């Protein structure tokens, strides 16, 4: 059965800003249904002009871009609550692909209704602008990481950011969280080789800072790992939920 916005389980998570009754009512009108996808299913394809936009209700995915020579750049990882397809909504087509990495449930919105945000609900339109700004800010962090952090620092930084996101979504139990990605995914996100990534993860494990095996990430000392990654553990700023 379709989850009504007023009963959305994500609204109870620390990651998201509270919504007024008017905002919830508007989103219920905007939402056209739900879609369930299996691991490995493409949700949006690079260059596509999908008539639908999505919010990840449950499950995790990946955003990536493929070059003409077949090499791949992972842009980011998709978590519950992420809005998917903003590029298509604004620019008409996707500049990257989105794929499910676990069983996912997606809230579906018709792109044809997208401009109603701006015409009839400016507060929600501002939320979309805020999300776009946050994505730009994060891409700046990623670029600085690829260009200026060592492999050890880059992987430590990435794991801290992933773990903090998991904490805000209630995905962490006893310092462990599900991480359904591969070492190649992490390597492709940070501009590293798989061999270098594997060795670096092994070194971090030897130092008892983290372990990542069988799709489970365990952080033993978040503060020390953050120091290694040249970042600070932080309480993440609450995000709008669409």
């Amino acid at each position: 059965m379709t989850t009504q916005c007023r009963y959305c389980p994500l609204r109870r998570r620390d990651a998201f800003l509270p919504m007024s009754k008017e905002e919830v009512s508007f989103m219920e009108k905007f939402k056209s249904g739900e879609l369930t996808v299996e691991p490995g299913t493409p949700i949006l394809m690079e260059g596509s002009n999908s008539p639908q936009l999505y919010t990840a209700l449950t499950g995790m995915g990946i955003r990536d871009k493929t070059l003409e020579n077949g090499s791949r750049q992972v842009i980011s990882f998709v978590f519950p609550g992420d809005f998917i397809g903003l590029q298509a909504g604004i620019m008409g087509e996707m500049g990257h692909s989105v794929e499910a990495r676990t069983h996912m449930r997606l809230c579906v919105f018709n792109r044809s209704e997208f401009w109603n945000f701006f015409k009839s609900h400016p507060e929600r339109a501002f939320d979309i602008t805020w999300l776009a700004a946050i994505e730009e800010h994060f891409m700046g962090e990623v670029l600085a990481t690829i260009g200026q952090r060592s492999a050890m620092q880059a992987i430590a930084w990435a794991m801290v950011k992933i773990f903090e996101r998991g904490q805000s979504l209630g995905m962490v139990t006893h310092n462990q969280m599900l991480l359904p990605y591969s070492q190649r995914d992490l390597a492709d996100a940070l501009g590293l080789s798989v061999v270098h990534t594997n060795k670096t993860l092994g070194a971090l494990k030897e130092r008892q800072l983290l372990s990542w095996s069988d799709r489970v990430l365990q952080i033993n000392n978040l503060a020390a790992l953050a120091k290694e990654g040249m970042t600070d553990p932080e309480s993440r700023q609450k995000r709008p939920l669409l």
Side-chain angles (χ1 to χ4, degrees):
M1 295 181 63
T2 300
T3 305
Q4 294 183 357
C5 295
R6 71 191 73 177
Y7 302 124
C8 177
L10 293 175
R11 293 179 59 204
R12 298 191 294 269
R13 298 302 182 187
D14 291 337
F16 304 108
L17 291 166
M19 297 171 64
S20 67
K21 291 182 179 180
E22 292 76 14
E23 288 174 326
V24 172
S25 177
F26 177 79
M27 292 306 299
E28 286 184 337
K29 294 176 183 177
F30 182 50
K31 181 176 176 178
S32 62
E34 288 182 7
L35 176 67
T36 299
V37 296
E38 299 300 321
T41 302
I43 299 171
L44 289 169
M45 297 295 293
E46 185 176 342
S48 67
N49 56 351
S50 170
Q52 296 174 322
L53 310 173
Y54 308 96
T55 290
L57 184 58
T58 62
M60 301 173 71
I62 196 167
R63 295 183 176 97
D64 60 16
K65 185 175 181 66
T66 303
L67 302 182
E68 291 184 1
N69 64 0
S71 59
R72 181 185 71 147
Q73 177 67 45
V74 171
I75 297 173
S76 64
F77 302 116
V78 178
F79 285 81
D82 282 357
F83 190 54
I84 304 170
L86 181 58
Q87 281 190 351
I90 298 293
M91 301 173 63
E93 67 177 38
M94 292 294 294
H96 59 266
S97 298
V98 184
E99 178 184 296
R101 281 303 173 87
T102 67
H103 179 89
M104 295 185 72
R105 194 170 184 179
L106 307 167
C107 298
V108 181
F109 309 102
N110 289 325
R111 198 178 80 184
S112 60
E113 298 294 323
F114 185 67
W115 297 109
N116 282 335
F117 277 96
F118 298 88
K119 291 190 296 183
S120 60
H121 215 291
E123 293 85 359
R124 293 267 81 188
F126 177 80
D127 288 341
I128 293 173
T129 305
W130 191 93
L131 288 173
I134 281 294
E135 286 298 319
E136 182 180 358
H137 174 75
F138 181 71
M139 288 299 105
E141 282 199 68
V142 172
L143 183 59
T145 296
I146 293 174
Q148 301 301 323
R149 285 183 170 94
S150 67
M152 182 76 72
Q153 293 165 343
I155 290 176
W157 172 85
M159 290 307 194
V160 167
K161 296 304 178 183
I162 289 171
F163 197 75
E164 288 178 335
R165 188 78 186 277
Q167 286 179 321
S168 71
L169 291 165
M171 298 169 62
V172 174
T173 303
H174 303 304
N175 294 326
Q176 294 182 338
M177 68 173 287
L178 173 70
L179 193 61
Y181 305 112
S182 66
Q183 289 190 15
R184 177 171 292 280
D185 292 331
L186 183 62
D188 287 348
L190 298 174
L192 302 171
S193 69
V194 177
V195 172
H196 202 171
T197 299
N198 180 267
K199 289 181 178 179
T200 304
L201 286 168
L204 289 168
K205 183 177 182 180
E206 287 180 3
R207 292 170 57 185
Q208 299 184 352
L209 293 177
L210 64 80
S211 63
W212 181 24
S213 61
D214 297 325
R215 294 162 51 99
V216 174
L217 170 66
Q218 178 170 321
I219 304 293
N220 301 315
N221 190 329
L222 184 61
L225 188 64
K227 184 177 181 180
E228 181 65 43
M230 295 195 302
T231 187
D232 295 317
E234 58 185 31
S235 55
R236 292 181 61 91
Q237 189 174 4
K238 292 181 182 290
R239 303 161 59 93
L241 179 61
L242 298 178

